């Protein structure tokens, strides 16, 4: 009960800040029941007169609420299917920049994590040079067998896990209340969104997993001449500390420095797009936070990525889906694009392939009447997902993350080369992958893998037969005896449901009343 009151207090504060900054203007009142509509109307009485446009209001509110909510906003930026395209674009601009914690505290964290004094670990250890909500970065020097080396040391903030845990518990309570009070909200799966955020943050706060991501991406791209990633120093990496080689380079949004260094911006824009597509389609593993702050060009003209806390992964089915729909649009083969959606199982079979192809043609044909530099592949994918919603295509988190990353990557590339031809740039990567994986050689390899899988199934047949026999015996018992549910259980279920509904409505009235009290007391 006490925990519930704490969660209620935290959510009341969050609700007040959201209302004050005007973020509740994004809520559609027509989708709410009468009691919730009244609560929303009362809450909006505290809205600032000059709160700005509705999309910008949300990012301002989340920034005021602190690191956990900033991270939540960044996570929601990957879900335009939930918050809407305008809000998602605004949330992408949320700055994950926080005041740094003292160097002495970072030194203490490093010594605890690595079990040795800082002077034994590094020759030098700088003041913080960048700070975010989860960790901050220091520049250091260490002695290796090859000589001295400059490294970047990422240190997790003290107490960050406890702070995120408290805020996530409050978010879970709010999501449960939202699902209970607004039945239509269940399709948006708010509790699942919070749980996905919790998993994402847990991964980000274990820097050993980020080191593994760096290592895997480095292995995938070791033969790519125009792309590289820093190398993790495993002996100087733990749950709370990540040490990697230092990157000296020019940020991709520093166009003046890029031109002064003599680099070809057109070629660099092409490298950004093709590198991302190779990682996504060829490897099925891509950097999902490729904004300009995480991309550099080194002295040799290679693209360098940093900060691997958010990564995306695609299975073979998703990679084939992506490659074939892109090639289908390039070749204007809309029927094939539609067939790929059905073959992947993304669109229910009760729909017509031909009708779906017609809808896709409505997206594809207008772009072929425009110049190549006017066509946005990211916008194309956004429109495609909007059309698929009309045909009951279920949301695929990995594809939404891919689409969001494509928006960012395309923006980076077009900033380098405003006349970038997305189709010409993408076509070689897409074509090569399809020829390699869906051509004769790829079919032969698939057949080989299929035979190996079939051999494994045949070897498991005796065990499968025993399991099937046990299941059939259990079904026969259920059929013979039936399933009983006594009256006490039915009554208890009814009482619990009624109690839950009463608490949900009561909580809404408490929130509305609290906001009214804040208003009349002159809260700012």
């Amino acid at each position: 009960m006490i925990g519930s009151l704490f969660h209620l207090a935290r959510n009341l504060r969050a609700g007040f800040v959201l209302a004050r900054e005007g973020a509740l203007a994004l809520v559609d009142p027509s989708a709410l029941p009468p009691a919730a509509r009244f609560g929303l109307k009362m809450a909006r009485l505290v809205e600032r007169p000059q709160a700005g446009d509705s999309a910008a209001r949300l990012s301002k509110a989340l920034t005021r609420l602190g690191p956990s909510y900033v991270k939540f906003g960044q996570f929601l930026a990957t879900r335009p299917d939930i918050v809407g395209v305008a809000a998602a674009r605004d949330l992408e601009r949320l700055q994950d920049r926080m005041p740094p914690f003292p160097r002495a505290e970072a030194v203490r964290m490093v010594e605890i994590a690595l079990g040795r004094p800082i002077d034994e670990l590094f020759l030098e250890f700088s003041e913080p040079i960048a700070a975010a909500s989860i960790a901050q970065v220091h520049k250091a020097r260490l002695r290796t067998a090859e000589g001295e080396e400059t490294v970047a040391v990422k240190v997790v903030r003290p107490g960050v896990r406890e702070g995120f845990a408290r805020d996530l518990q409050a978010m879970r309570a709010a999501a449960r209340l939202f699902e209970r009070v607004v039945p239509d909200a269940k399709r948006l799966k708010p509790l699942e969104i919070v749980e996905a955020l919790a998993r994402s943050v847990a991964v980000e706060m274990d820097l050993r997993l980020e080191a593994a991501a760096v290592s895997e991406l480095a292995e995938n791209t070791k033969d790519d001449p125009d792309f590289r990633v820093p190398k993790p120093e495993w002996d100087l990496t733990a749950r709370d500390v990540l040490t990697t080689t230092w990157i000296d380079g020019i940020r991709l949004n520093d166009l003046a420095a890029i031109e002064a260094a003599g680099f070809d911006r057109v070629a660099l824009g092409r490298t950004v797009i093709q590198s991302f597509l190779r990682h996504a389609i060829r490897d099925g593993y891509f950097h999902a936070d490729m904004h300009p702050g995480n991309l550099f060009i080194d002295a040799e003209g290679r693209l360098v990525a940093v900060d691997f806390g958010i990564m995306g992964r695609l299975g073979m089915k998703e990679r084939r889906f992506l490659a074939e729909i892109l090639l289908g649009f390039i070749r204007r083969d809309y029927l094939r694009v539609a067939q790929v959606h059905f073959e992947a199982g993304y669109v229910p079979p009760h729909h017509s392939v031909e009708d779906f192809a017609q809808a896709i043609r409505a997206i594809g044909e207008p772009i072929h009447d425009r110049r190549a530099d006017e066509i946005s592949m990211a916008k194309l994918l956004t429109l495609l997902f909007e059309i698929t919603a009309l045909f009951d295509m279920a949301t695929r988190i990995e594809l939404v993350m891919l689409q969001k990353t494509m928006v960012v990557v395309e923006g980076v590339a077009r900033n380098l080369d405003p006349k970038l031809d997305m189709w010409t740039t993408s076509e070689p990567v897409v074509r090569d992958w399809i020829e390699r994986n869906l051509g004769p050689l790829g079919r032969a390899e698939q057949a080989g893998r299929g035979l190996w899988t079939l051999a494994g199934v045949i070897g498991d047949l005796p065990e499968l037969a025993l399991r099937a026999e046990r299941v059939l015996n259990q079904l026969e018992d259920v059929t013979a005896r039936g399933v009983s549910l006594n009256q006490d259980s039915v009554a208890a279920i009814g009482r619990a449901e009624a109690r839950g509904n009463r608490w949900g409505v009561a909580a809404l009235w408490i929130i509305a009343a609290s906001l009214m009290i804040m208003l009349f007391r002159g809260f700012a």
Side-chain angles (χ1 to χ4, degrees):
M1 181 66 181
I2 294 176
S4 298
L5 290 175
F6 275 117
H7 299 331
L8 179 60
R10 286 179 174 274
N11 287 325
L12 281 172
R13 173 182 175 270
F16 175 72
V17 173
L18 289 168
R20 185 65 173 159
E21 295 298 332
L24 297 184
L26 293 169
V27 179
D28 180 9
S30 63
L32 302 176
R37 281 201 297 269
F38 179 76
L40 177 64
K41 185 176 181 180
M42 292 296 99
R44 293 200 62 186
L45 291 175
V46 302
E47 192 172 296
R48 291 183 187 275
Q50 293 88 25
D53 68 85
S54 57
R57 297 172 183 182
L58 184 56
S59 62
K60 289 179 182 177
L62 295 176
T63 300
R64 279 191 59 188
L65 286 170
S68 300
Y69 288 89
V70 168
K71 187 62 65 178
F72 186 47
Q74 291 172 331
F75 181 77
L76 287 178
T78 69
R79 298 299 308 273
D81 55 313
I82 292 175
V83 298
V85 175
R89 286 176 179 167
D90 176 69
L91 290 172
E92 286 171 2
R93 295 194 290 270
L94 274 174
Q95 297 298 307
D96 194 13
R97 297 172 184 168
M98 307 298 295
F101 56 91
R103 176 186 180 277
E105 189 66 17
V107 168
R108 186 183 70 84
M109 295 284 292
V110 171
E111 291 179 340
I112 292 173
L114 301 180
R116 294 163 59 190
I118 195 75
D119 293 337
E120 292 182 14
L121 296 167
F122 303 104
L123 299 173
E124 299 175 11
F125 191 82
S126 76
E127 293 289 335
I129 60 173
S133 57
I134 289 178
Q136 68 184 27
V137 177
H138 299 256
K139 188 175 184 179
R141 291 187 65 77
L142 57 85
R143 184 176 288 110
T144 66
E146 293 78 22
E148 293 186 5
E149 180 183 357
T150 304
V151 293
V153 183
K154 189 173 184 178
V155 186
V156 169
R157 282 183 175 274
V160 68
R161 291 183 178 84
E162 294 78 7
F164 268 92
R166 288 192 297 268
D167 287 337
L168 284 169
Q169 283 297 93
M171 290 178 190
R172 289 186 180 100
R176 292 190 192 99
L177 178 63
F178 189 47
E179 284 189 351
R180 186 179 300 139
V181 175
V182 186
D184 289 344
K186 289 185 177 181
R187 68 179 183 84
L188 298 177
K189 303 177 181 177
L191 190 56
E192 286 189 22
I193 293 170
V194 175
E195 294 302 335
L197 171 66
R199 290 191 297 271
S200 173
V201 170
V203 169
E204 282 196 68
M205 287 192 290
D206 190 334
L207 299 185
R208 295 168 298 188
L209 300 180
E210 183 172 344
V214 178
S215 178
E216 182 174 351
L217 192 60
E219 183 177 336
N220 290 343
T221 61
K222 63 181 183 296
D223 296 325
D224 295 353
D226 52 5
F227 183 88
R228 74 179 181 96
V229 297
K231 182 185 74 171
E233 298 287 346
W234 286 103
D235 292 340
L236 297 172
T237 294
R239 186 184 71 157
D240 293 337
V241 177
L242 168 63
T243 305
T244 62
T245 50
W246 181 261
I247 298 300
D248 277 317
I250 304 171
R251 289 186 186 273
L252 248 60
N253 57 356
D254 191 347
L255 301 183
I258 289 173
E259 291 182 347
F263 293 117
D264 185 344
R265 285 172 49 181
V266 173
L268 193 54
R270 185 167 58 249
T271 296
V272 171
I273 294 296
Q274 292 187 345
S275 294
F276 168 71
L277 287 175
R278 275 197 297 267
H279 303 163
I281 298 176
R282 180 193 66 190
D283 307 324
Y285 192 61
F286 60 94
H287 194 307
D289 196 20
M290 291 182 69
H291 61 75
N294 287 339
L295 296 173
F296 297 82
I297 179 171
D298 66 11
E300 299 176 23
R302 292 175 298 180
L303 184 66
V304 188
V306 299
D307 193 357
F308 304 88
I310 305 176
M311 303 295 292
R313 195 179 292 277
L314 299 175
M316 179 58 73
K317 183 173 76 171
E318 288 77 25
R319 289 148 68 185
R320 175 184 172 182
F321 169 76
L322 174 63
E324 290 218 52
I325 64 169
L326 290 179
L327 194 64
F329 275 108
I330 291 170
R331 296 179 175 175
R332 302 172 76 172
D333 188 352
Y334 306 117
L335 182 60
R336 181 57 193 153
V337 174
Q339 289 169 342
V340 170
H341 279 77
F342 280 80
E343 290 170 5
Y346 293 155
V347 178
H350 64 266
H351 287 290
S352 163
V353 176
E354 290 75 17
D355 289 346
F356 190 51
Q358 180 183 0
I360 292 174
R361 180 180 292 273
I363 300 172
E365 280 304 295
I367 67 175
H368 287 284
D369 295 330
R370 303 172 67 182
R371 298 196 317 273
D373 60 286
E374 295 178 330
I375 299 171
S376 167
M377 184 180 293
K379 184 177 180 180
L380 173 73
L381 290 177
T382 301
L383 291 173
L384 180 62
F385 289 149
E386 289 176 359
I387 287 291
T388 55
L390 298 176
F391 286 81
D392 304 319
M393 177 174 167
T395 299
R396 305 283 303 190
I397 300 297
E398 66 274 24
L399 295 180
V400 174
M401 179 175 283
L402 176 80
Q403 180 263 337
K404 176 259 182 185
T405 309
M406 176 66 83
V407 171
V408 176
V409 169
E410 185 180 27
V412 172
R414 287 198 187 275
N415 188 47
L416 291 163
D417 177 17
K419 294 186 177 181
L420 181 74
D421 184 341
M422 290 292 296
W423 301 106
T424 302
T425 304
S426 305
E427 201 265 347
V429 178
V430 175
R431 187 189 64 247
D432 289 349
W433 187 87
I434 287 180
E435 290 176 353
R436 174 67 182 79
N437 290 273
L438 304 182
L441 181 60
R443 297 294 185 186
E445 290 181 351
Q446 288 179 19
R449 289 194 294 268
L451 288 173
W452 183 259
T453 302
L454 181 61
V457 171
I458 292 173
D460 292 338
L461 278 178
E463 177 65 22
L464 291 172
L466 290 174
R467 291 181 184 177
E469 183 181 10
R470 287 195 293 268
V471 170
L472 288 173
N473 289 335
Q474 291 171 358
L475 286 174
E476 287 179 357
D477 289 342
V478 170
T479 302
R481 300 175 184 176
V483 178
S484 62
L485 187 65
N486 63 42
Q487 294 299 316
D488 291 340
S489 298
V490 174
I493 292 171
R495 288 194 299 272
E497 183 67 21
R499 186 167 55 250
N501 288 336
R502 286 197 299 272
W503 274 106
V505 174
L508 276 178
W509 279 104
I510 290 171
I511 292 171
S514 300
L515 289 172
M516 288 294 294
I517 291 170
M518 291 176 185
L519 174 64
F520 289 122
R521 288 184 178 180
F523 267 111

